Amino acid sequence: MGILAIGLEGSANKIGIGIVNEEGEILVNIRHTYVSPPGHGFMPKETAEHHAQHVLPLLTQAFRDSNLNPSDLSCVCYTMGPGMGACLQTVGVVARVIAMMWNKPIVAVNHCVAHIEMGRVVTKADDPIVLYVSGGNTQVISYSMQKYRIFGETLDIAVGNCLDRFARILNLSNDPSPGHNIEQLAKKGSKYIPLPYAVKGMDMSFSGILSYIEKEAKEQLAKGECTPADLCFSLQETIFAMLVEVTERAMAHCGRNQVLIVGGVGCNLRLQEMMQVMVEERGGRLCAMDDRYCIDNGAMIAYTGLLQFKHGQITSIQKATCTQRYRTDHVHVVWRD
């Protein structure tokens, strides 16, 4: 049967369980999402309670769906960070308990690196520039000398957080996600409203754009000068153009011809479309995924943990903790040359 790993992901509002083998075949990849009311974000306490409520039923379902038993596993992997503290701790406790119960090694995984490795195995990307865009992170990354090096990142809030918070201003539903509902509404927009464009070298800033469009939304909607769809369209076009610009600069600097988009915002089809135009003009290839793999999931934790396990990166129970701040470039990527 070979090496099998189970992964537990719960860094934000999704609790996920995945089981993979060493070829990268995904045997199970299930999750449950905490959905807050329209106009509200997800709070740590309520989200952690959601994870505690759903993690054991998901574990049971994972073994049932895969026809496996705990004895078939080689290791237990979990998200060490970054993420929301209460959520990370809830899932971390479960991971430590089942590892001890089943007498299996435990592997602590960096959430950001897991997104990258999931993208590489699913899209067969070789050595791409990585655009990591989610509710908590916005980074442009390239691999070098056993580290994922960050070439550019947000200076304040993440691009996904910018979208989520604007969805609250418009009182859009959080089901299945606020970013998804902005994407759908933006398709109906036709009027472009100029917004601040905040690229500073290789870094980006989104908080000022959010403040500006919040003010414009209240004024222009009240006067009937635009629609919510126009605002969503304008916001997407502006912030996605910023992401494409910085990604292209990283491609030129590193001499790469592939771009891999990972993270929850990465399944936005408009972002993929804009990135595709740029990459094709440079004679390259875009490596993109759908919501099965872009959005937080347990399979990405299992696969990355399996890579670490095969190369001796096993975590002792005493050090199997969680941290809200765990940089992408702090991980020693021993499984790559």
Side-chain angles (χ1 to χ4, degrees):
M1 189 175 291
I3 300 175
L4 293 175
I6 189 168
L8 288 78
E9 156 58 27
S11 60
N13 68 326
K14 294 170 181 63
I15 173 70
I17 306 290
I19 301 177
V20 302
N21 62 25
E22 56 188 316
E23 284 75 39
E25 180 185 1
I26 299 170
L27 307 180
V28 172
N29 193 23
I30 54 178
R31 63 180 168 234
H32 198 279
T33 303
Y34 172 69
V35 179
S36 53
H40 296 79
F42 50 90
M43 303 301 289
K45 181 176 181 292
E46 289 80 4
T47 311
E49 290 173 349
H50 164 270
H51 291 1
Q53 178 184 352
H54 289 279
V55 64
L56 295 183
L58 284 173
L59 271 172
T60 301
Q61 182 185 343
F63 286 114
R64 183 173 63 245
D65 291 353
S66 62
N67 292 317
L68 295 170
N69 296 303
S71 58
D72 297 320
L73 300 174
S74 304
C75 58
V76 173
C77 314
Y78 77 100
T79 303
M80 187 179 200
M84 299 171 67
C87 303
L88 290 169
Q89 289 175 7
T90 299
V91 177
V93 166
V94 175
R96 289 194 297 273
V97 169
I98 62 174
M100 289 188 288
M101 282 177 54
W102 301 339
N103 194 28
K104 301 294 181 182
I106 191 167
V107 182
V109 175
N110 179 288
H111 177 87
C112 312
V113 171
H115 270 298
I116 297 171
E117 294 303 339
M118 179 95 279
R120 289 181 64 233
V121 72
V122 169
T123 66
K124 310 302 181 187
D126 180 28
D127 191 17
I129 293 295
V130 179
L131 175 64
Y132 174 31
V133 278
S134 69
N137 299 275
T138 302
Q139 298 174 343
V140 177
I141 302 161
S142 180
Y143 174 79
S144 176
M145 299 173 64
Q146 296 197 316
K147 287 285 182 73
Y148 283 114
R149 313 286 176 174
I150 299 173
F151 277 73
E153 60 188 319
T154 178
L155 295 171
D156 38 57
I157 62 173
V159 62
N161 187 245
C162 178
L163 292 168
D164 292 351
R165 287 163 66 176
F166 186 61
R168 289 179 223 162
I169 294 168
L170 296 181
N171 207 38
L172 298 182
S173 171
N174 290 319
D175 188 14
S177 72
H180 172 81
N181 294 324
I182 281 183
E183 179 184 2
Q184 303 314 309
L185 192 55
K187 294 175 182 178
K188 302 174 184 177
S190 57
K191 178 183 178 183
Y192 178 77
I193 300 161
L195 299 173
Y197 188 91
V199 171
K200 303 179 180 183
M202 288 296 290
D203 295 325
M204 300 145 283
S205 173
F206 300 102
S207 60
I209 299 171
L210 178 64
S211 299
Y212 183 88
I213 197 171
E214 180 177 4
K215 174 176 172 291
E216 289 297 301
K218 291 176 180 177
E219 293 178 358
Q220 295 201 29
L221 289 174
K223 295 176 184 176
E225 295 177 351
C226 70
T227 66
D230 293 332
L231 291 164
C232 292
F233 167 73
S234 302
L235 181 61
Q236 279 199 164
E237 294 299 301
T238 302
I239 61 178
F240 291 169
M242 292 163 54
L243 295 172
V244 171
E245 178 190 335
V246 175
T247 304
E248 182 174 20
R249 195 174 294 122
M251 287 182 73
H253 179 78
C254 299
R256 305 287 164 78
N257 64 357
Q258 292 180 339
V259 171
L260 170 64
I261 307 179
V262 301
V265 181
C267 51
N268 185 297
L269 295 180
R270 180 54 184 156
L271 173 59
Q272 293 183 15
E273 181 181 286
M274 293 173 69
M275 193 67 72
Q276 181 73 40
V277 171
M278 181 276 287
V279 172
E280 284 185 353
E281 287 178 351
R282 298 185 63 86
R285 178 170 81 93
L286 175 64
C287 305
M289 302 177 287
D290 58 28
D291 59 355
R292 291 174 298 170
Y293 308 116
C294 269
I295 294 174
D296 294 351
N297 61 86
M300 71 184 198
I301 302 301
Y303 180 66
T304 308
L306 188 150
L307 294 175
Q308 294 177 220
F309 173 76
K310 287 176 63 177
H311 289 81
Q313 279 190 344
I314 298 170
T315 310
S316 67
I317 286 292
Q318 292 80 6
K319 293 185 177 180
T321 56
C322 300
T323 175
Q324 291 178 265
R325 304 193 192 285
Y326 189 8
R327 297 266 302 174
T328 310
D329 50 6
H330 286 179
V331 177
H332 185 197
V333 186
V334 293
W335 56 92
R336 291 193 63 177
D337 296 330

